[in-house]
Amino acid sequence: MLAGREGRRRVILSVDLAARRLGLRPGTPVAKAQALYPDLLIMDADPDGDRAGLERLTLWFQRRIAPIVAPDPPDGIVLDTTGADHLHGGEAVMLENMVTRLKESGITARAAIADTWGAAHALARYDRGRITLVPPGETAAAIADLPIEALRMPADIIEGLYGLGVSRIGPLAGMPRAPLALRFGPDVARRLDQAFGRQAEAIVPVRLQAPVQVSRNFAEPISAAETIARYITKLVPSLCAGLEEREQGVRRLDLLLHRVDSRTEAVRVATAMPVRDVRRLTRLLCDRIETIDPGFGIERMMLTASLAEPILHRQGVSALIEEEEADVSDLIDTLANRVGTQALYRFAPVESDVPERAVCRVPALAPEDGKEWPDHWPRPTRLLPRPEPIQTMAVLPDHPPVFFIWRGIRRRIRCADGPERVFGEWWKGDAELTTVRDYFRVEDTSGETFWVYRTGDGEHGETGSQGWFLHGLFE
C-alpha cells in the first residue's frame, strides 16, 4: 500500500488486491489500518514521480496507438480509439497487444473498452477480467454490479454511501436523485450520468511541448560559407535564450537551410550532455558548413533543438585544496560530430560471469553506475568478437593444452594457469542449465599470452562438447 497526507491526516492513497480483500480502501487512515493489520507493508507515495511517469507513458501511447490520449490519474490512461482500432487488428487484438507490451516492460495492466470514459475507467479497475470489451449499448448492464468506488467519487462520499448500505453501482443508480444531491452534493448524479453516457465528458489529449526553434528569412538568397556562418552566430544566442527559459540544454541540434529550388539542406550536431553554451554550439555548427550545398542560394534558415534535456547544476570547487574536474565534454562533442556518435564510446562492466556478456558499450560521458571490473581473475586486454575454434591436445579433465593451432599457426604451450570454471546463466534459458566452460591463461614459447577455454567439464557430455576455443589475447 502507498500512504500520503490529506491535510493533516496520513491516509492510504493506493492499495493492492490483497489489501482490498481485507477491506482496506483509499482514504482509510494509516493508523486504523495498522491497528487492524499490524503486518501491513506501507510505503510512502511519490505523487510527483508517479505523475511524471504517467505522462511519459501517455505520450508513448499517443505515438503508437491513437492521437487522443490523456492521463487518468492516479494510475490510468484513457484513449479515444474511434477510427484507430482497425489499424491495430481490431479492438480485442489492440487491447491484447497493449497489455502484453506493458507486461514485457514490467508493468501489470488491465484494459477495457466501453462507450464512455467513466465505464471504461470502472471496468479496467474493478472488473475481474484482464481485458474487457463492452458491446455498444450494454454499458449499464456491464457496470451495474461494480463497487461504487469505480465511479471516481471522493472518499467521504464513498464512506457515506457505505454507511447507507449502498455498495454497488446498480442499486445506487436506482435511488432517487434529490435525496442523494441534498446529502452528498451533485457529484453522485454527475458521475452516474458520465458513466451511463447521459452527460458528455471531454478527453483533453496530452500535448508534446514544442521544441525551441528560431529562424531567419532572407530578402536575397545567401550562399557564401562566411555569410552562413555569420547568421549561425545570430541564431544560436536566440536559441540558447529560449532554452534558458525552460532551464534546458540541447542534446541534438538541427540546422535546416531551405534553398530557392525548394530543396532543403540539413545539418545535425549532437552533444554528449545538455549544453547551452553559445560559443560551443556555434563552433559545432560552423564546423559542418563545408557539408552544405547552397545550390542557387538559401532563402531561409531554421535552427531547432530537436532534443533538449534539463541542465543539472552542480556546485563548483569551494576549497583551495580541491581540484576541479577536467571538462572533456567539448572535446567529446567535437570528435563525435566528426566521426559519428556511434563510433565514440567507452566500455563499462556488466554483472555477468560469462565474459562476452560482462562488458557493454556506453556513451563516452555516460555516468558511472557503481559497478566494478572483475579482479579475482585476470582478463585479456583484447576480447575477440566471438570465440574462435582451435585444435589442441590436453589431458582431461583439468589439464591445460600442450599445444594449439589457431589460424593455421601451431603454438606450443610453455606455461599455463587455470582452470577458471564459468557456469552458464541458467535464468537466461534452459540451454544454459548445465553448460560449463573451463578457462586457461596460456603462454606459448614466443612469449605471447592467450585466453582459451574448453566447453564442458571434461567428464560429462551434457556440460558441453569438450571442444576448445580461443577467446582473448593478453597484450
Side-chain angles (χ1 to χ4, degrees):
M1 295 191 305
L2 298 178
R5 291 196 173 275
E6 288 185 355
R8 296 183 178 181
R9 297 194 312 160
R10 191 163 184 261
V11 299
I12 295 174
L13 300 180
S14 179
V15 297
D16 59 8
L17 182 60
R20 190 176 297 278
R21 288 173 178 170
L22 295 175
L24 299 176
R25 299 187 299 273
T28 303
V30 172
K32 178 181 177 181
Q34 289 177 326
L36 293 173
Y37 307 101
D39 297 332
L40 283 177
L41 178 60
I42 300 177
M43 302 176 64
D44 290 332
D46 180 16
D48 294 336
D50 293 343
R51 190 180 305 109
L54 189 62
E55 290 178 358
R56 289 194 298 270
L57 191 58
T58 302
L59 291 173
W60 184 88
F61 273 100
Q62 189 181 56
R63 289 193 292 267
R64 289 165 175 80
I65 305 297
I68 302 178
V69 186
D72 187 13
D75 58 354
I77 295 173
V78 58
L79 303 87
D80 185 350
T81 60
T82 304
D85 52 350
H86 71 281
L87 301 175
H88 306 281
E91 292 181 343
V93 176
M94 178 182 66
L95 287 189
E96 183 66 35
N97 290 339
M98 288 164 52
V99 172
T100 302
R101 289 289 298 273
L102 291 173
K103 184 177 180 180
E104 292 173 351
S105 301
I107 302 174
T108 301
R110 301 169 68 182
I113 287 183
D115 291 338
T116 64
W117 177 355
H121 172 101
L123 291 164
R125 289 164 174 80
Y126 295 91
D127 194 53
R128 295 181 179 180
R130 187 173 67 104
I131 293 176
T132 305
L133 281 82
V134 179
E138 299 184 13
T139 299
I143 66 173
D145 198 41
L146 297 182
I148 58 176
E149 291 94 335
L151 289 176
R152 300 173 291 166
M153 294 184 293
D156 57 340
I157 295 180
I158 299 295
E159 292 182 3
L161 290 172
Y162 269 99
L164 294 177
V166 182
S167 61
R168 299 292 169 179
I169 294 178
L172 177 64
M175 296 178 65
R177 294 291 184 90
L180 290 175
L182 184 62
R183 182 163 183 173
F184 299 108
D187 283 342
V188 176
R190 178 170 62 89
R191 289 304 191 188
L192 285 171
D193 289 341
Q194 288 174 345
F196 291 125
R198 294 189 287 264
Q199 180 176 337
E201 187 174 9
I203 299 176
V204 180
V206 65
R207 299 294 184 187
L208 284 171
Q209 188 178 35
V212 179
Q213 188 177 83
V214 293
S215 61
R216 183 71 176 260
N217 296 320
F218 306 108
E220 295 292 335
I222 63 173
S223 58
E226 296 81 3
T227 307
I228 296 174
R230 184 170 70 251
Y231 283 105
I232 287 176
T233 60
K234 295 181 179 180
L235 289 176
V236 172
S238 301
L239 183 88
C240 291
L243 291 170
E244 186 174 6
E245 292 179 0
R246 300 186 183 183
E247 298 183 352
Q248 292 180 331
V250 67
R251 286 291 309 277
R252 188 169 64 231
L253 190 61
D254 292 333
L255 176 64
L256 301 179
L257 304 104
H258 300 274
R259 304 188 337 186
V260 295
D261 57 359
S262 299
R263 294 185 58 184
T264 302
E265 292 288 309
V267 173
R268 168 170 288 182
V269 297
T271 60
M273 55 193 306
V275 174
R276 202 167 58 219
D277 184 89
V278 174
R279 294 180 59 186
R280 183 189 300 191
L281 295 177
T282 301
R283 178 174 52 78
L284 291 175
L285 288 170
C286 290
D287 286 346
R288 302 291 303 278
I289 288 179
E290 60 185 17
T291 66
I292 299 172
D293 178 13
F296 295 105
I298 297 168
E299 59 183 0
R300 187 168 185 250
M301 290 176 60
M302 180 182 297
L303 192 59
T304 305
S306 54
L307 178 61
E309 296 178 357
I311 289 184
L312 301 177
H313 300 283
R314 62 178 184 177
Q315 184 175 352
V317 173
S318 59
L320 296 177
I321 60 175
E322 295 184 25
E323 294 185 3
E324 188 172 0
E325 295 182 3
D327 184 7
V328 297
S329 60
D330 195 3
L331 174 62
I332 296 296
D333 293 343
T334 302
L335 294 176
N337 286 284
R338 290 181 180 177
V339 303
T341 56
Q342 301 299 325
L344 197 65
Y345 56 86
R346 65 179 178 85
F347 291 108
V350 178
E351 293 179 346
S352 176
D353 289 331
V354 181
E356 59 266 31
R357 298 174 184 166
V359 62
C360 67
R361 294 181 179 183
V362 298
L365 293 182
E368 298 289 344
D369 57 6
K371 298 176 182 177
E372 297 182 355
W373 293 99
D375 56 1
H376 54 287
W377 281 88
R379 289 290 183 263
T381 53
R382 177 188 171 196
L383 195 69
L384 298 181
R386 54 181 58 86
E388 298 185 12
I390 57 176
Q391 300 176 13
T392 184
M393 181 177 68
V395 179
L396 298 178
D398 295 328
H399 286 70
V402 178
F403 69 89
F404 70 89
I405 301 175
W406 177 52
R407 295 183 179 178
I409 301 176
R410 180 188 178 98
R411 301 175 185 272
R412 185 171 180 81
I413 304 304
R414 182 171 62 184
C415 59
D417 184 19
E420 174 195 355
R421 179 157 292 180
V422 175
F423 293 93
E425 296 176 336
W426 53 266
W427 57 91
K428 291 185 178 293
D430 293 340
E432 299 192 32
L433 285 172
T434 58
T435 55
V436 171
R437 291 181 186 176
D438 282 344
Y439 279 88
F440 294 86
R441 183 184 183 189
V442 299
E443 182 180 334
D444 66 2
T445 53
S446 64
E448 294 185 81
T449 307
F450 303 89
W451 206 38
V452 300
Y453 72 87
R454 181 190 63 239
T455 58
D457 60 4
E459 296 181 283
H460 305 90
E462 66 271 13
T463 61
S465 64
Q466 316 302 327
W468 286 84
F469 295 84
L470 189 144
H471 203 168
L473 297 88
F474 294 85
E475 299 177 351

